Amino acid sequence: MAFTAQAFKARTKTRRIMYQHPKRTAGAFVGVSETEKMGALGKIYLCTYNVVQAFGWSVILYTLLSHYVTSSELTLWDKVWFPLFLFQTAAVVEVVHIMVGLVRSNVFITFVQVLSRVAVCGILLTIPSSLIVSSIAFPLTILAWSITEIIRYSYYFTNLVGYTPYFLTWLRYTTFIVLYPLGITGELLCYYMVFTYSQANPEVLTYALPNQWNFTFNYSYSLIMAMLVYIPGFPNLYSYMLSQRKKILGSDAKAKKKH
């Protein structure tokens, strides 16, 4: 068979088209199909993750509200500590999601938000549960957290499936105006509650010199430092959310959607 220069050019052009538009041809490359497969698996995973988290925080909110309308021998801490620690600690993987490219977001802001909440859960383990349930700090904190997370994870899920009702978008970028300061107040009250206990019980997680490790750590001072971080942290995160609200719900954004 004669193989002319014209036939060679035609075959080269066909291969170039296949490379640039693999979905338009029957002979798609294995690498492209594998990438699409991983993308589909990633979407399924994220949908499942968001549904589970939304359900978990719904259980926490229901447990909180029902605790105050029904009589029970169990304290609020007894009822809610396990799901709270489970679903809040699980949020650590959200930092990994961003790092591996599954989700587009600010990795530093996500890390700070997740770390601050996990830290609050951690310090509560260092004081008696009777002290936790005697304060408004704990129910205030989980009330703000649970409502925020139910809305947030529901919003993420609807984004993944391709349909997000406007009311959910509005809730996502509006309720934080109240819930964020409410949650910060609860978190700081938790820190202060633990701080007062550590002051009355200096042996709690405090290591003084001399010791065999030649190491010193003052738990009360670390709590103070953590509380001080909220001074620059809160305004920055709050202003970031306000800018996101303007970007998503602003008049310019609405005008673009209409067109």
Side-chain angles (χ1 to χ4, degrees):
M1 294 177 62
F3 189 75
T4 64
Q6 186 176 1
F8 176 78
K9 289 180 180 179
R11 182 173 297 184
T12 303
K13 182 178 180 181
T14 301
R15 288 178 177 176
R16 187 181 299 114
I17 292 173
M18 289 176 64
Y19 178 77
Q20 292 175 346
H21 306 286
K23 294 183 181 179
R24 298 182 186 178
T25 63
F29 295 106
V30 175
V32 174
S33 61
E34 287 295 323
T35 301
E36 291 174 350
K37 184 178 179 181
M38 289 302 295
L41 289 175
K43 186 174 181 179
I44 293 172
Y45 161 73
L46 288 175
C47 284
T48 304
Y49 172 79
N50 286 302
V51 168
V52 171
Q53 282 282 23
F55 173 77
W57 285 102
S58 297
V59 170
I60 293 171
L61 179 61
Y62 173 78
T63 304
L64 170 66
L65 298 178
S66 63
H67 175 76
Y68 292 102
V69 296
T70 58
S71 58
S72 174
E73 296 181 358
L74 296 175
T75 66
L76 177 61
W77 175 260
D78 293 331
K79 294 177 181 179
V80 83
W81 78 267
F82 180 74
L84 176 65
F85 276 70
L86 176 64
F87 290 103
Q88 184 54 67
T89 305
V92 173
V93 300
E94 294 176 23
V95 179
V96 180
H97 292 167
I98 301 172
M99 294 177 67
V100 300
L102 273 176
V103 175
R104 284 185 177 183
S105 188
N106 189 305
V107 66
F108 177 73
I109 290 177
T110 303
F111 174 77
V112 170
Q113 289 177 325
V114 173
L115 179 64
S116 65
R117 288 191 177 187
V118 172
V120 171
C121 293
I123 64 172
L124 290 176
L125 292 175
T126 64
I127 63 175
S129 60
S130 57
L131 182 60
I132 297 174
V133 298
S134 65
S135 171
I136 189 63
F138 183 61
L140 185 65
T141 301
I142 60 176
L143 175 66
W145 286 4
S146 57
I147 296 175
T148 298
E149 298 300 56
I150 292 169
I151 295 172
R152 184 168 72 94
Y153 287 116
S154 299
Y155 175 79
Y156 289 160
F157 172 76
T158 57
N159 262 308
L160 286 166
V161 298
Y163 174 71
T164 304
Y166 178 77
F167 81 89
L168 190 57
T169 303
W170 186 88
L171 288 173
R172 170 75 177 102
Y173 291 99
T174 303
T175 54
F176 80 90
I177 296 174
V178 175
L179 292 176
Y180 196 50
L182 194 68
I184 293 295
T185 301
E187 292 174 29
L188 287 173
L189 287 175
C190 285
Y191 270 104
Y192 182 73
M193 175 174 58
V194 177
F195 172 75
T196 55
Y197 179 80
S198 67
Q199 288 289 90
N201 303 270
E203 73 281 358
V204 177
L205 293 181
T206 296
Y207 297 92
L209 292 172
N211 57 61
Q212 61 178 342
W213 305 105
N214 196 30
F215 168 79
T216 182
F217 175 76
N218 190 293
Y219 188 42
S220 297
Y221 290 164
S222 67
L223 292 171
I224 293 173
M225 292 178 63
M227 287 187 282
L228 290 175
V229 171
Y230 280 79
I231 297 176
F234 171 71
N236 286 330
L237 291 175
Y238 199 67
S239 61
Y240 171 77
M241 287 302 298
L242 287 173
S243 66
Q244 290 295 104
R245 184 179 192 275
K246 183 178 181 181
K247 179 180 178 181
I248 301 299
L249 300 180
S251 56
D252 292 340
K254 290 181 180 179
K256 289 179 180 179
K257 286 184 179 179
K258 288 181 181 179
H259 294 291

